[in-house]
Amino acid sequence: MEILITGGTGLIGRRLCAALTAQGHSLTVLSRRSKMVPTLCGAGVKAISSLDEYHSDLCFDAVINLAGEPIADARWSEQRKQKLRQSRIDLTESLMQKIRMASHRPKVFLSGSAVGFYGNGGDVVFSEQAPAGGDFAAQLCVDWEAAGMGAAAMGIRTCILRTGLVLDNTGGILQKMRLPFSLGLATRIGDGYQWMSWIHMQDYIAIVLFLLQHENAVGCFNLVAPEPVTNRKFTRLLAIALHRPVLFVTPAFFLNLVLGDMAELVVGGQRVIPAKLKSLGYEFKYPSLLPALTDLLRSSR
């Protein structure tokens, strides 16, 4: 297939490009760092730096929309919130306009979202049928998904990817946590009972490939492992995998003071299950956290 990917130079995008290239697909990546695309995504991957280069005569069989500013890289000032919205919602709406004008529309559209859609749910278990939360992160996801569902209105098979914490040995949350844990500075957050819905990078990539090919896959999907864990358990299992003790606690009030609204990402949580993926028959390679951590930490040595 001819596939357009937005956000292809990010951590997930690079892994996805490698997997799709290995399957023989032809890729074009939209990136502000277009000159870096051959290096980051593969020598045979084409690049465009703006949607202005998405002309009506370009033919894509599939579009995978993963673009978006990192949500946890800076405090959520009003300016930062606007940038988060623009990089997700505005770009997706612009992409819809380009697809609408294309002489050859894609057959399938996969678009990003996050489990933050559900808000801070305590111990409530969220399947894809659960309603949205009411905080900023939830509303961001609601609007992002609404923009992406514009493809469904055009008759294009559309899948929304509500993604949890993606664990990888080269970046993301696991890399950020590994150094302090390795130094014996492991810490849980608050009481540690907030839920963390996670997924191994291998499963994430395999699910995207699965949804790309599965003709019956439509609507919203939770891209999380079937066994979410509390922050307390995540911290304990990561410490076990690294052979380090957990000695410290970061108080929730301190995070609220330092991070402001963004503290909801770490003080709150979502207990999410991949109900629709399981109903379609997807089998997780890493359903449990400790084997996932062991694999990732072993492969990064």
Side-chain angles (χ1 to χ4, degrees):
M1 289 194 291
E2 289 282 346
I3 303 174
L4 172 66
I5 304 176
T6 74
T9 56
L11 176 66
I12 294 173
R14 295 195 303 270
R15 297 281 195 177
L16 183 58
C17 285
L20 289 167
T21 299
Q23 288 193 341
H25 300 291
S26 179
L27 308 182
T28 299
V29 167
L30 168 67
S31 173
R32 290 172 298 181
R33 300 186 292 169
S34 57
K35 293 182 179 179
M36 294 294 294
V37 165
T39 301
L40 296 174
C41 303
V45 178
K46 299 182 284 292
I48 57 176
S49 59
S50 167
L51 280 177
D52 292 338
E53 298 176 57
Y54 187 167
H55 303 299
S56 61
D57 57 343
L58 284 178
C59 296
F60 295 111
D61 303 304
V63 174
I64 304 174
N65 179 36
L66 302 178
E69 286 285 326
I71 198 164
D73 279 13
R75 187 183 173 101
W76 289 352
S77 64
E78 289 305 313
Q79 183 178 10
R80 180 64 180 173
K81 287 181 179 180
Q82 186 61 28
K83 193 169 186 179
L84 291 172
R85 289 183 61 83
Q86 289 174 344
S87 65
R88 288 163 171 77
I89 301 156
D90 292 3
L91 184 139
T92 302
E93 289 177 344
S94 296
L95 187 56
M96 290 299 101
Q97 293 176 7
K98 290 295 183 179
I99 292 173
R100 195 172 290 111
M101 295 185 296
S103 57
H104 174 89
R105 291 177 179 174
K107 295 179 181 178
V108 58
F109 179 70
L110 275 55
S111 192
S113 184
V115 296
F117 172 92
Y118 302 107
N120 180 14
D123 288 329
V124 176
V125 178
F126 294 119
S127 71
E128 290 86 352
Q129 302 304 315
D135 56 29
F136 168 75
Q139 191 58 52
L140 179 67
C141 291
V142 168
D143 294 343
W144 193 10
E145 292 185 11
M149 289 304 290
M154 289 183 261
I156 298 168
R157 184 170 68 84
T158 301
C159 298
I160 302 296
L161 314 177
R162 290 180 181 162
T163 304
L165 298 169
V166 180
L167 304 184
D168 187 73
N169 59 358
T170 62
I173 187 173
L174 188 58
Q175 186 182 59
K176 291 178 180 178
M177 294 179 73
R178 184 175 182 177
L179 178 58
F181 272 64
S182 297
L183 295 174
L185 300 175
T187 177
R188 75 167 194 262
I189 297 170
D191 63 15
Y193 289 112
Q194 65 274 39
W195 287 89
M196 301 175 69
S197 296
W198 60 276
I199 186 168
H200 192 295
M201 178 67 85
Q202 284 189 31
D203 274 314
Y204 180 95
I205 298 301
I207 289 168
V208 171
L209 301 180
F210 177 83
L211 294 176
L212 200 61
Q213 301 289 345
H214 203 301
E215 293 295 333
N216 293 327
V218 293
C220 299
F221 291 85
N222 291 334
L223 269 65
V224 294
E227 299 178 20
V229 297
T230 62
N231 174 261
R232 183 179 287 253
K233 185 173 183 179
F234 189 102
T235 302
R236 178 172 60 83
L237 292 181
L238 181 55
I240 289 172
L242 290 169
H243 308 290
R244 293 291 188 272
V246 180
L247 301 176
F248 304 101
V249 176
T250 302
F253 78 85
F254 175 76
L255 291 169
N256 283 314
L257 181 65
V258 172
L259 300 178
D261 290 349
M262 195 174 77
E264 67 193 43
L265 293 178
V266 289
V267 175
Q270 302 84 26
R271 189 179 183 181
V272 181
I273 58 171
K276 286 182 66 175
L277 284 170
K278 294 183 76 173
S279 71
L280 287 178
Y282 178 79
E283 295 185 9
F284 282 82
K285 184 174 183 179
Y286 294 99
S288 301
L289 182 59
L290 186 56
L293 291 174
T294 301
D295 171 74
L296 290 165
L297 295 171
R298 179 179 60 243
S299 59
S300 65
R301 290 170 186 159

